[in-house]
Short mmCIF file of all heavy atoms in Angstrom, two decimals:
data_model
loop_
_atom_site.label_atom_id
_atom_site.label_comp_id
_atom_site.label_asym_id
_atom_site.label_seq_id
_atom_site.Cartn_x
_atom_site.Cartn_y
_atom_site.Cartn_z
N MET A 963 0.86 -1.19 -0.02
CA MET A 963 -0.02 -0.02 0.01
C MET A 963 0.93 1.25 -0.01
O MET A 963 1.84 1.32 0.73
CB MET A 963 -0.87 0.01 1.24
CG MET A 963 -1.72 1.26 1.43
SD MET A 963 -2.69 1.24 3.01
CE MET A 963 -3.85 -0.09 2.60
N LYS A 964 0.55 2.19 -0.86
CA LYS A 964 1.32 3.43 -0.86
C LYS A 964 0.34 4.56 -0.39
O LYS A 964 -0.70 4.79 -0.94
CB LYS A 964 1.77 3.77 -2.29
CG LYS A 964 2.59 5.07 -2.35
CD LYS A 964 3.18 5.27 -3.69
CE LYS A 964 4.11 6.49 -3.72
NZ LYS A 964 4.69 6.77 -4.98
N ILE A 965 0.83 5.28 0.66
CA ILE A 965 0.08 6.33 1.29
C ILE A 965 0.84 7.61 1.02
O ILE A 965 2.05 7.70 1.41
CB ILE A 965 -0.11 6.14 2.76
CG1 ILE A 965 -0.81 4.81 3.04
CG2 ILE A 965 -0.88 7.34 3.41
CD1 ILE A 965 -0.78 4.36 4.51
N GLU A 966 0.21 8.64 0.42
CA GLU A 966 0.84 9.93 0.21
C GLU A 966 0.13 11.00 1.00
O GLU A 966 -1.12 11.12 0.91
CB GLU A 966 0.81 10.25 -1.31
CG GLU A 966 1.63 9.28 -2.12
CD GLU A 966 1.36 9.46 -3.58
OE1 GLU A 966 0.39 8.88 -4.08
OE2 GLU A 966 2.17 10.15 -4.26
N VAL A 967 0.93 11.77 1.75
CA VAL A 967 0.39 12.87 2.55
C VAL A 967 0.77 14.10 1.73
O VAL A 967 1.94 14.38 1.51
CB VAL A 967 0.97 12.98 3.96
CG1 VAL A 967 0.45 14.21 4.68
CG2 VAL A 967 0.63 11.66 4.71
N LEU A 968 -0.21 14.83 1.24
CA LEU A 968 0.04 16.01 0.36
C LEU A 968 0.04 17.28 1.19
O LEU A 968 -0.92 17.51 1.96
CB LEU A 968 -1.05 16.18 -0.72
CG LEU A 968 -1.40 14.88 -1.50
CD1 LEU A 968 -2.52 15.22 -2.48
CD2 LEU A 968 -0.19 14.30 -2.21
N GLY A 969 1.13 18.01 1.13
CA GLY A 969 1.18 19.31 1.84
C GLY A 969 2.61 19.86 1.79
O GLY A 969 3.56 19.19 1.65
N THR A 970 2.58 21.18 1.89
CA THR A 970 3.85 21.89 1.75
C THR A 970 4.67 22.04 3.05
O THR A 970 5.66 22.70 3.09
CB THR A 970 3.59 23.30 1.10
OG1 THR A 970 2.65 23.97 1.94
CG2 THR A 970 3.08 23.20 -0.27
N GLY A 971 4.17 21.45 4.12
CA GLY A 971 4.90 21.48 5.38
C GLY A 971 4.26 22.26 6.47
O GLY A 971 4.82 22.52 7.53
N CYS A 972 2.93 22.64 6.29
CA CYS A 972 2.19 23.38 7.33
C CYS A 972 1.92 22.44 8.53
O CYS A 972 2.11 21.24 8.45
CB CYS A 972 0.89 23.86 6.75
SG CYS A 972 -0.28 22.55 6.22
N ALA A 973 1.47 23.01 9.59
CA ALA A 973 1.21 22.27 10.74
C ALA A 973 0.17 21.19 10.60
O ALA A 973 0.33 20.03 11.10
CB ALA A 973 0.79 23.22 11.92
N LYS A 974 -0.90 21.47 9.83
CA LYS A 974 -1.97 20.48 9.61
C LYS A 974 -1.40 19.33 8.77
O LYS A 974 -1.79 18.16 8.99
CB LYS A 974 -3.16 21.16 8.89
CG LYS A 974 -3.97 21.97 9.80
CD LYS A 974 -5.19 22.54 9.00
CE LYS A 974 -6.04 23.39 9.99
NZ LYS A 974 -7.23 23.87 9.28
N CYS A 975 -0.56 19.65 7.77
CA CYS A 975 0.03 18.55 6.97
C CYS A 975 0.90 17.66 7.84
O CYS A 975 0.82 16.43 7.66
CB CYS A 975 0.92 19.15 5.86
SG CYS A 975 -0.02 20.32 4.81
N ASN A 976 1.73 18.21 8.70
CA ASN A 976 2.55 17.38 9.57
C ASN A 976 1.71 16.56 10.55
O ASN A 976 2.01 15.40 10.86
CB ASN A 976 3.53 18.29 10.33
CG ASN A 976 4.55 18.95 9.39
OD1 ASN A 976 4.88 18.38 8.34
ND2 ASN A 976 4.99 20.08 9.79
N LYS A 977 0.57 17.14 11.04
CA LYS A 977 -0.30 16.44 11.94
C LYS A 977 -0.95 15.23 11.26
O LYS A 977 -1.09 14.15 11.81
CB LYS A 977 -1.40 17.39 12.49
CG LYS A 977 -2.28 16.71 13.46
CD LYS A 977 -3.20 17.73 14.16
CE LYS A 977 -4.17 16.90 15.00
NZ LYS A 977 -4.62 17.41 16.23
N LEU A 978 -1.37 15.44 10.02
CA LEU A 978 -1.93 14.35 9.18
C LEU A 978 -0.96 13.21 9.03
O LEU A 978 -1.31 12.07 9.13
CB LEU A 978 -2.45 14.83 7.88
CG LEU A 978 -3.07 13.78 6.95
CD1 LEU A 978 -4.21 13.02 7.61
CD2 LEU A 978 -3.56 14.38 5.63
N LYS A 979 0.29 13.57 8.73
CA LYS A 979 1.33 12.54 8.53
C LYS A 979 1.50 11.72 9.81
O LYS A 979 1.61 10.55 9.81
CB LYS A 979 2.66 13.16 8.09
CG LYS A 979 3.74 12.14 7.79
CD LYS A 979 4.92 12.78 7.15
CE LYS A 979 5.94 11.73 6.67
NZ LYS A 979 6.82 11.28 7.78
N GLU A 980 1.57 12.46 10.95
CA GLU A 980 1.70 11.77 12.25
C GLU A 980 0.54 10.87 12.50
O GLU A 980 0.69 9.72 13.01
CB GLU A 980 1.82 12.80 13.39
CG GLU A 980 3.11 13.58 13.38
CD GLU A 980 3.13 14.73 14.36
OE1 GLU A 980 2.14 14.88 15.15
OE2 GLU A 980 4.07 15.56 14.25
N LEU A 981 -0.69 11.29 12.20
CA LEU A 981 -1.88 10.50 12.39
C LEU A 981 -1.83 9.23 11.51
O LEU A 981 -2.12 8.12 12.02
CB LEU A 981 -3.08 11.30 12.02
CG LEU A 981 -4.46 10.61 12.10
CD1 LEU A 981 -4.77 10.11 13.48
CD2 LEU A 981 -5.57 11.52 11.59
N VAL A 982 -1.43 9.36 10.27
CA VAL A 982 -1.32 8.21 9.37
C VAL A 982 -0.24 7.21 9.86
O VAL A 982 -0.48 5.99 9.94
CB VAL A 982 -1.00 8.66 7.95
CG1 VAL A 982 -0.55 7.46 7.09
CG2 VAL A 982 -2.16 9.38 7.32
N GLU A 983 0.91 7.74 10.33
CA GLU A 983 1.96 6.89 10.87
C GLU A 983 1.48 6.16 12.15
O GLU A 983 1.76 4.94 12.30
CB GLU A 983 3.20 7.71 11.22
CG GLU A 983 3.92 8.20 10.00
CD GLU A 983 4.99 9.25 10.28
OE1 GLU A 983 4.95 9.87 11.37
OE2 GLU A 983 5.88 9.44 9.40
N LYS A 984 0.69 6.80 12.96
CA LYS A 984 0.14 6.14 14.18
C LYS A 984 -0.77 5.02 13.81
O LYS A 984 -0.65 3.89 14.40
CB LYS A 984 -0.61 7.22 15.03
CG LYS A 984 -1.22 6.69 16.24
CD LYS A 984 -1.99 7.73 17.00
CE LYS A 984 -2.66 7.09 18.23
NZ LYS A 984 -3.73 7.89 18.74
N VAL A 985 -1.68 5.28 12.88
CA VAL A 985 -2.67 4.22 12.49
C VAL A 985 -1.96 3.05 11.84
O VAL A 985 -2.25 1.88 12.18
CB VAL A 985 -3.73 4.78 11.52
CG1 VAL A 985 -4.58 3.66 10.93
CG2 VAL A 985 -4.63 5.80 12.29
N VAL A 986 -1.01 3.31 10.97
CA VAL A 986 -0.26 2.23 10.26
C VAL A 986 0.48 1.42 11.34
O VAL A 986 0.43 0.14 11.29
CB VAL A 986 0.75 2.83 9.29
CG1 VAL A 986 1.81 1.83 8.85
CG2 VAL A 986 -0.01 3.35 8.03
N ALA A 987 1.14 2.03 12.34
CA ALA A 987 1.84 1.29 13.38
C ALA A 987 0.90 0.46 14.26
O ALA A 987 1.12 -0.71 14.50
CB ALA A 987 2.66 2.28 14.23
N GLU A 988 -0.23 1.09 14.67
CA GLU A 988 -1.18 0.38 15.55
C GLU A 988 -1.86 -0.80 14.89
O GLU A 988 -2.11 -1.78 15.49
CB GLU A 988 -2.27 1.38 16.07
CG GLU A 988 -1.76 2.36 17.09
CD GLU A 988 -2.87 3.38 17.54
OE1 GLU A 988 -3.99 3.36 16.94
OE2 GLU A 988 -2.53 4.17 18.45
N GLU A 989 -2.18 -0.63 13.61
CA GLU A 989 -2.86 -1.65 12.87
C GLU A 989 -1.92 -2.71 12.20
O GLU A 989 -2.40 -3.67 11.62
CB GLU A 989 -3.80 -1.07 11.78
CG GLU A 989 -4.86 -0.15 12.34
CD GLU A 989 -5.88 -0.82 13.27
OE1 GLU A 989 -6.34 -1.93 12.88
OE2 GLU A 989 -6.24 -0.28 14.35
N GLY A 990 -0.64 -2.43 12.28
CA GLY A 990 0.37 -3.34 11.68
C GLY A 990 0.18 -3.39 10.14
O GLY A 990 0.38 -4.45 9.52
N ILE A 991 -0.10 -2.27 9.49
CA ILE A 991 -0.34 -2.18 8.05
C ILE A 991 1.08 -2.07 7.39
O ILE A 991 1.93 -1.29 7.79
CB ILE A 991 -1.23 -0.98 7.74
CG1 ILE A 991 -2.52 -1.12 8.38
CG2 ILE A 991 -1.29 -0.82 6.21
CD1 ILE A 991 -3.40 0.10 8.34
N ASP A 992 1.24 -2.88 6.34
CA ASP A 992 2.46 -2.81 5.52
C ASP A 992 2.23 -1.68 4.46
O ASP A 992 1.49 -1.89 3.55
CB ASP A 992 2.75 -4.14 4.83
CG ASP A 992 4.02 -4.13 3.99
OD1 ASP A 992 4.87 -3.27 4.26
OD2 ASP A 992 4.07 -4.94 3.06
N ALA A 993 2.85 -0.56 4.73
CA ALA A 993 2.60 0.60 3.84
C ALA A 993 3.88 1.48 3.77
O ALA A 993 4.67 1.53 4.62
CB ALA A 993 1.42 1.46 4.41
N GLU A 994 3.97 2.11 2.58
CA GLU A 994 4.99 3.09 2.36
C GLU A 994 4.30 4.46 2.45
O GLU A 994 3.35 4.71 1.76
CB GLU A 994 5.52 2.92 0.89
CG GLU A 994 6.48 4.03 0.48
CD GLU A 994 6.82 4.01 -0.98
OE1 GLU A 994 6.19 3.22 -1.77
OE2 GLU A 994 7.65 4.82 -1.41
N ILE A 995 4.83 5.24 3.40
CA ILE A 995 4.27 6.59 3.64
C ILE A 995 5.19 7.62 3.02
O ILE A 995 6.38 7.66 3.35
CB ILE A 995 4.06 6.86 5.12
CG1 ILE A 995 3.13 5.78 5.76
CG2 ILE A 995 3.48 8.26 5.35
CD1 ILE A 995 3.08 5.82 7.26
N VAL A 996 4.63 8.43 2.13
CA VAL A 996 5.42 9.45 1.44
C VAL A 996 4.82 10.84 1.69
O VAL A 996 3.62 10.96 1.58
CB VAL A 996 5.49 9.17 -0.12
CG1 VAL A 996 6.32 10.17 -0.83
CG2 VAL A 996 6.00 7.75 -0.35
N LYS A 997 5.73 11.77 2.00
CA LYS A 997 5.25 13.18 2.10
C LYS A 997 5.48 13.90 0.79
O LYS A 997 6.60 13.90 0.30
CB LYS A 997 6.05 13.87 3.24
CG LYS A 997 5.57 15.29 3.52
CD LYS A 997 4.44 15.31 4.44
CE LYS A 997 4.17 16.67 5.11
NZ LYS A 997 4.31 17.84 4.44
N VAL A 998 4.44 14.38 0.14
CA VAL A 998 4.56 15.03 -1.09
C VAL A 998 4.44 16.55 -0.92
O VAL A 998 3.38 17.06 -0.50
CB VAL A 998 3.42 14.59 -2.12
CG1 VAL A 998 3.57 15.32 -3.47
CG2 VAL A 998 3.51 13.09 -2.32
N GLU A 999 5.57 17.27 -1.13
CA GLU A 999 5.58 18.66 -0.91
C GLU A 999 5.62 19.51 -2.18
O GLU A 999 5.51 20.69 -2.17
CB GLU A 999 6.78 19.04 -0.01
CG GLU A 999 6.58 18.43 1.37
CD GLU A 999 7.66 18.84 2.37
OE1 GLU A 999 8.65 19.53 1.98
OE2 GLU A 999 7.55 18.46 3.54
N ASP A 1000 5.79 18.83 -3.31
CA ASP A 1000 5.90 19.53 -4.65
C ASP A 1000 4.47 19.90 -5.03
O ASP A 1000 3.60 19.13 -5.24
CB ASP A 1000 6.51 18.55 -5.66
CG ASP A 1000 6.66 19.16 -7.04
OD1 ASP A 1000 5.79 20.01 -7.37
OD2 ASP A 1000 7.59 18.84 -7.72
N ILE A 1001 4.30 21.26 -5.17
CA ILE A 1001 3.00 21.80 -5.40
C ILE A 1001 2.39 21.34 -6.70
O ILE A 1001 1.18 21.06 -6.86
CB ILE A 1001 2.98 23.37 -5.32
CG1 ILE A 1001 1.56 23.92 -5.32
CG2 ILE A 1001 3.74 23.95 -6.51
CD1 ILE A 1001 0.79 23.69 -4.04
N ASN A 1002 3.25 21.12 -7.71
CA ASN A 1002 2.78 20.61 -8.98
C ASN A 1002 2.23 19.16 -8.85
O ASN A 1002 1.22 18.80 -9.49
CB ASN A 1002 3.85 20.71 -10.06
CG ASN A 1002 4.15 22.15 -10.42
OD1 ASN A 1002 3.26 22.94 -10.55
ND2 ASN A 1002 5.44 22.45 -10.57
N LYS A 1003 2.91 18.34 -8.10
CA LYS A 1003 2.44 16.96 -7.89
C LYS A 1003 1.11 16.98 -7.13
O LYS A 1003 0.25 16.19 -7.33
CB LYS A 1003 3.49 16.12 -7.13
CG LYS A 1003 4.65 15.83 -8.01
CD LYS A 1003 5.67 14.95 -7.31
CE LYS A 1003 6.84 14.68 -8.20
NZ LYS A 1003 7.90 13.91 -7.48
N ILE A 1004 0.98 17.89 -6.15
CA ILE A 1004 -0.19 18.04 -5.41
C ILE A 1004 -1.39 18.41 -6.34
O ILE A 1004 -2.47 17.80 -6.26
CB ILE A 1004 -0.12 19.04 -4.22
CG1 ILE A 1004 0.92 18.47 -3.18
CG2 ILE A 1004 -1.40 19.36 -3.57
CD1 ILE A 1004 1.38 19.47 -2.16
N LEU A 1005 -1.14 19.36 -7.17
CA LEU A 1005 -2.19 19.83 -8.09
C LEU A 1005 -2.49 18.76 -9.10
O LEU A 1005 -3.68 18.71 -9.56
CB LEU A 1005 -1.69 21.11 -8.83
CG LEU A 1005 -1.55 22.39 -7.95
CD1 LEU A 1005 -0.95 23.51 -8.74
CD2 LEU A 1005 -2.92 22.80 -7.41
N ASP A 1006 -1.55 17.86 -9.47
CA ASP A 1006 -1.84 16.79 -10.40
C ASP A 1006 -2.95 15.87 -9.83
O ASP A 1006 -3.70 15.22 -10.63
CB ASP A 1006 -0.62 15.92 -10.62
CG ASP A 1006 0.42 16.60 -11.53
OD1 ASP A 1006 0.00 17.60 -12.25
OD2 ASP A 1006 1.61 16.20 -11.62
N TYR A 1007 -3.04 15.78 -8.55
CA TYR A 1007 -4.16 15.00 -7.92
C TYR A 1007 -5.47 15.79 -7.86
O TYR A 1007 -6.52 15.27 -7.40
CB TYR A 1007 -3.77 14.58 -6.54
CG TYR A 1007 -2.85 13.39 -6.41
CD1 TYR A 1007 -1.58 13.51 -5.95
CD2 TYR A 1007 -3.30 12.16 -6.81
CE1 TYR A 1007 -0.70 12.45 -5.92
CE2 TYR A 1007 -2.47 11.00 -6.75
CZ TYR A 1007 -1.16 11.18 -6.30
OH TYR A 1007 -0.37 10.11 -6.25
N GLY A 1008 -5.45 17.06 -8.29
CA GLY A 1008 -6.63 17.84 -8.23
C GLY A 1008 -6.92 18.44 -6.86
O GLY A 1008 -7.99 18.95 -6.63
N VAL A 1009 -5.95 18.40 -6.01
CA VAL A 1009 -6.05 18.90 -4.68
C VAL A 1009 -5.59 20.36 -4.63
O VAL A 1009 -4.49 20.69 -4.99
CB VAL A 1009 -5.15 18.10 -3.67
CG1 VAL A 1009 -5.19 18.74 -2.29
CG2 VAL A 1009 -5.71 16.66 -3.56
N MET A 1010 -6.56 21.29 -4.29
CA MET A 1010 -6.25 22.68 -4.24
C MET A 1010 -5.99 23.18 -2.84
O MET A 1010 -5.36 24.26 -2.66
CB MET A 1010 -7.50 23.47 -4.79
CG MET A 1010 -7.80 23.09 -6.18
SD MET A 1010 -6.45 23.48 -7.28
CE MET A 1010 -7.37 23.62 -8.81
N VAL A 1011 -6.50 22.44 -1.86
CA VAL A 1011 -6.27 22.87 -0.47
C VAL A 1011 -5.64 21.67 0.30
O VAL A 1011 -6.15 20.57 0.26
CB VAL A 1011 -7.60 23.24 0.18
CG1 VAL A 1011 -7.40 23.75 1.64
CG2 VAL A 1011 -8.35 24.26 -0.62
N THR A 1012 -4.55 21.93 1.02
CA THR A 1012 -3.86 20.86 1.77
C THR A 1012 -4.32 20.98 3.22
O THR A 1012 -4.84 22.03 3.65
CB THR A 1012 -2.35 21.05 1.70
OG1 THR A 1012 -1.94 22.31 2.17
CG2 THR A 1012 -1.87 20.83 0.25
N PRO A 1013 -4.17 19.95 4.02
CA PRO A 1013 -3.49 18.69 3.66
C PRO A 1013 -4.42 17.79 2.80
O PRO A 1013 -5.61 17.96 2.79
CB PRO A 1013 -3.25 18.02 5.01
CG PRO A 1013 -4.33 18.52 5.89
CD PRO A 1013 -4.59 19.95 5.41
N GLY A 1014 -3.77 16.86 2.12
CA GLY A 1014 -4.49 15.85 1.36
C GLY A 1014 -3.95 14.50 1.72
O GLY A 1014 -2.78 14.33 2.14
N LEU A 1015 -4.79 13.47 1.51
CA LEU A 1015 -4.39 12.13 1.81
C LEU A 1015 -4.74 11.27 0.54
O LEU A 1015 -5.90 11.26 0.13
CB LEU A 1015 -5.04 11.56 3.04
CG LEU A 1015 -4.70 10.09 3.37
CD1 LEU A 1015 -3.23 10.02 3.77
CD2 LEU A 1015 -5.55 9.60 4.55
N VAL A 1016 -3.74 10.58 0.03
CA VAL A 1016 -3.91 9.71 -1.19
C VAL A 1016 -3.54 8.30 -0.77
O VAL A 1016 -2.38 8.09 -0.24
CB VAL A 1016 -3.04 10.24 -2.33
CG1 VAL A 1016 -3.20 9.30 -3.55
CG2 VAL A 1016 -3.38 11.67 -2.67
N VAL A 1017 -4.41 7.34 -1.00
CA VAL A 1017 -4.11 5.93 -0.73
C VAL A 1017 -4.16 5.15 -2.03
O VAL A 1017 -5.21 5.13 -2.73
CB VAL A 1017 -5.11 5.35 0.29
CG1 VAL A 1017 -4.78 3.88 0.53
CG2 VAL A 1017 -5.05 6.08 1.59
N ASP A 1018 -3.00 4.56 -2.46
CA ASP A 1018 -2.87 3.83 -3.70
C ASP A 1018 -3.49 4.64 -4.86
O ASP A 1018 -4.22 4.09 -5.68
CB ASP A 1018 -3.61 2.45 -3.58
CG ASP A 1018 -2.81 1.55 -2.61
OD1 ASP A 1018 -1.56 1.70 -2.47
OD2 ASP A 1018 -3.46 0.63 -2.03
N GLY A 1019 -3.14 5.90 -4.93
CA GLY A 1019 -3.52 6.75 -6.07
C GLY A 1019 -4.90 7.35 -5.98
O GLY A 1019 -5.33 8.09 -6.83
N ASP A 1020 -5.62 7.05 -4.91
CA ASP A 1020 -7.05 7.49 -4.73
C ASP A 1020 -7.10 8.61 -3.68
O ASP A 1020 -6.73 8.36 -2.54
CB ASP A 1020 -7.92 6.30 -4.32
CG ASP A 1020 -9.39 6.70 -4.23
OD1 ASP A 1020 -9.82 7.68 -4.88
OD2 ASP A 1020 -10.15 6.02 -3.51
N VAL A 1021 -7.48 9.85 -4.02
CA VAL A 1021 -7.57 10.92 -3.07
C VAL A 1021 -8.74 10.65 -2.11
O VAL A 1021 -9.88 10.47 -2.50
CB VAL A 1021 -7.83 12.24 -3.81
CG1 VAL A 1021 -7.96 13.36 -2.79
CG2 VAL A 1021 -6.65 12.58 -4.79
N LYS A 1022 -8.41 10.57 -0.83
CA LYS A 1022 -9.41 10.27 0.21
C LYS A 1022 -9.97 11.52 0.78
O LYS A 1022 -11.18 11.56 1.18
CB LYS A 1022 -8.78 9.38 1.28
CG LYS A 1022 -8.42 7.98 0.82
CD LYS A 1022 -9.54 7.19 0.31
CE LYS A 1022 -9.22 5.75 -0.01
NZ LYS A 1022 -10.34 5.00 -0.55
N ILE A 1023 -9.13 12.51 0.97
CA ILE A 1023 -9.63 13.77 1.65
C ILE A 1023 -8.68 14.86 1.27
O ILE A 1023 -7.46 14.63 1.01
CB ILE A 1023 -9.67 13.63 3.13
CG1 ILE A 1023 -10.54 14.74 3.81
CG2 ILE A 1023 -8.32 13.50 3.83
CD1 ILE A 1023 -10.95 14.43 5.20
N ALA A 1024 -9.13 16.10 1.23
CA ALA A 1024 -8.33 17.27 0.96
C ALA A 1024 -8.91 18.46 1.73
O ALA A 1024 -10.12 18.59 1.88
CB ALA A 1024 -8.25 17.57 -0.52
N GLY A 1025 -8.00 19.26 2.31
CA GLY A 1025 -8.39 20.46 2.97
C GLY A 1025 -8.68 20.39 4.45
O GLY A 1025 -8.96 21.39 5.10
N LYS A 1026 -8.67 19.14 4.97
CA LYS A 1026 -8.93 19.05 6.44
C LYS A 1026 -8.34 17.67 6.93
O LYS A 1026 -7.92 16.81 6.12
CB LYS A 1026 -10.37 19.07 6.78
CG LYS A 1026 -11.22 18.05 6.16
CD LYS A 1026 -12.65 18.25 6.50
CE LYS A 1026 -13.57 17.24 5.80
NZ LYS A 1026 -14.97 17.45 6.08
N ILE A 1027 -8.18 17.64 8.23
CA ILE A 1027 -7.62 16.45 8.85
C ILE A 1027 -8.75 15.55 9.19
O ILE A 1027 -9.71 15.93 9.93
CB ILE A 1027 -6.87 16.82 10.13
CG1 ILE A 1027 -5.68 17.73 9.79
CG2 ILE A 1027 -6.34 15.57 10.82
CD1 ILE A 1027 -4.91 18.32 10.94
N PRO A 1028 -8.73 14.29 8.73
CA PRO A 1028 -9.82 13.34 9.00
C PRO A 1028 -9.66 12.80 10.47
O PRO A 1028 -8.62 12.93 11.02
CB PRO A 1028 -9.59 12.24 7.98
CG PRO A 1028 -8.12 12.24 7.72
CD PRO A 1028 -7.75 13.68 7.82
N SER A 1029 -10.72 12.17 10.96
CA SER A 1029 -10.65 11.57 12.25
C SER A 1029 -9.79 10.32 12.19
O SER A 1029 -9.57 9.74 11.08
CB SER A 1029 -12.03 11.17 12.73
OG SER A 1029 -12.50 10.09 11.92
N GLU A 1030 -9.24 9.88 13.30
CA GLU A 1030 -8.44 8.68 13.32
C GLU A 1030 -9.21 7.47 12.84
O GLU A 1030 -8.76 6.66 12.15
CB GLU A 1030 -7.92 8.47 14.77
CG GLU A 1030 -6.95 7.30 14.89
CD GLU A 1030 -6.33 7.17 16.25
OE1 GLU A 1030 -6.17 8.19 16.94
OE2 GLU A 1030 -5.98 6.04 16.64
N ASP A 1031 -10.54 7.43 13.25
CA ASP A 1031 -11.36 6.30 12.86
C ASP A 1031 -11.55 6.26 11.32
O ASP A 1031 -11.57 5.18 10.70
CB ASP A 1031 -12.77 6.42 13.47
CG ASP A 1031 -12.73 6.08 14.99
OD1 ASP A 1031 -11.76 5.41 15.43
OD2 ASP A 1031 -13.64 6.47 15.67
N LYS A 1032 -11.64 7.45 10.67
CA LYS A 1032 -11.79 7.46 9.26
C LYS A 1032 -10.51 7.00 8.53
O LYS A 1032 -10.58 6.26 7.61
CB LYS A 1032 -12.10 8.91 8.81
CG LYS A 1032 -12.76 9.01 7.43
CD LYS A 1032 -14.13 8.38 7.49
CE LYS A 1032 -14.77 8.39 6.04
NZ LYS A 1032 -15.90 7.56 6.00
N VAL A 1033 -9.39 7.41 9.11
CA VAL A 1033 -8.07 6.89 8.49
C VAL A 1033 -7.98 5.44 8.65
O VAL A 1033 -7.62 4.70 7.69
CB VAL A 1033 -6.89 7.64 9.21
CG1 VAL A 1033 -5.56 7.04 8.71
CG2 VAL A 1033 -6.93 9.12 8.95
N LYS A 1034 -8.35 4.88 9.79
CA LYS A 1034 -8.34 3.42 9.99
C LYS A 1034 -9.24 2.75 8.95
O LYS A 1034 -8.82 1.72 8.38
CB LYS A 1034 -8.81 3.04 11.37
CG LYS A 1034 -7.78 3.15 12.45
CD LYS A 1034 -8.32 2.68 13.79
CE LYS A 1034 -7.37 3.03 14.89
NZ LYS A 1034 -7.89 2.82 16.22
N GLU A 1035 -10.43 3.30 8.76
CA GLU A 1035 -11.39 2.71 7.78
C GLU A 1035 -10.75 2.73 6.39
O GLU A 1035 -10.79 1.67 5.71
CB GLU A 1035 -12.61 3.54 7.78
CG GLU A 1035 -13.70 3.09 6.85
CD GLU A 1035 -14.93 4.07 6.82
OE1 GLU A 1035 -15.30 4.50 7.90
OE2 GLU A 1035 -15.38 4.38 5.77
N TRP A 1036 -10.15 3.78 5.95
CA TRP A 1036 -9.52 3.81 4.63
C TRP A 1036 -8.38 2.84 4.47
O TRP A 1036 -8.20 2.33 3.39
CB TRP A 1036 -9.03 5.25 4.30
CG TRP A 1036 -10.11 6.26 4.10
CD1 TRP A 1036 -11.32 6.07 3.55
CD2 TRP A 1036 -10.04 7.63 4.42
NE1 TRP A 1036 -12.06 7.24 3.54
CE2 TRP A 1036 -11.28 8.24 4.10
CE3 TRP A 1036 -9.07 8.48 5.00
CZ2 TRP A 1036 -11.59 9.57 4.22
CZ3 TRP A 1036 -9.36 9.83 5.21
CH2 TRP A 1036 -10.61 10.35 4.81
N LEU A 1037 -7.61 2.68 5.48
CA LEU A 1037 -6.39 1.89 5.43
C LEU A 1037 -6.59 0.42 5.64
O LEU A 1037 -5.73 -0.41 5.37
CB LEU A 1037 -5.31 2.39 6.41
CG LEU A 1037 -4.88 3.88 6.20
CD1 LEU A 1037 -3.73 4.23 7.15
CD2 LEU A 1037 -4.43 4.10 4.73
N THR A 1038 -7.74 0.05 6.20
CA THR A 1038 -8.02 -1.40 6.51
C THR A 1038 -9.08 -2.01 5.64
O THR A 1038 -9.41 -3.14 5.83
CB THR A 1038 -8.41 -1.54 8.03
OG1 THR A 1038 -9.54 -0.81 8.30
CG2 THR A 1038 -7.22 -1.12 8.94
N GLN A 1039 -9.66 -1.27 4.72
CA GLN A 1039 -10.70 -1.84 3.86
C GLN A 1039 -10.12 -2.70 2.80
O GLN A 1039 -9.08 -2.63 2.36
CB GLN A 1039 -11.63 -0.80 3.30
CG GLN A 1039 -10.92 0.39 2.72
CD GLN A 1039 -11.95 1.37 2.03
OE1 GLN A 1039 -12.08 1.30 0.82
NE2 GLN A 1039 -12.56 2.20 2.83
#
């Protein structure tokens, strides 16, 4: 599984990355977590507001931090 956290380094982007890392560790998920800071790559996903979360190429959320339960749902389905 490839998880991409989209954001230029703002506090919310960093918080989302920490949340994703926590869920991956707690659930024992085999995943590669990548922080995408290149604005052009972020825009390629159609994300205009960060933070964004992409799982295996599918944009799950943009512009806000999801709940921990929602992240678990996306990563364990």
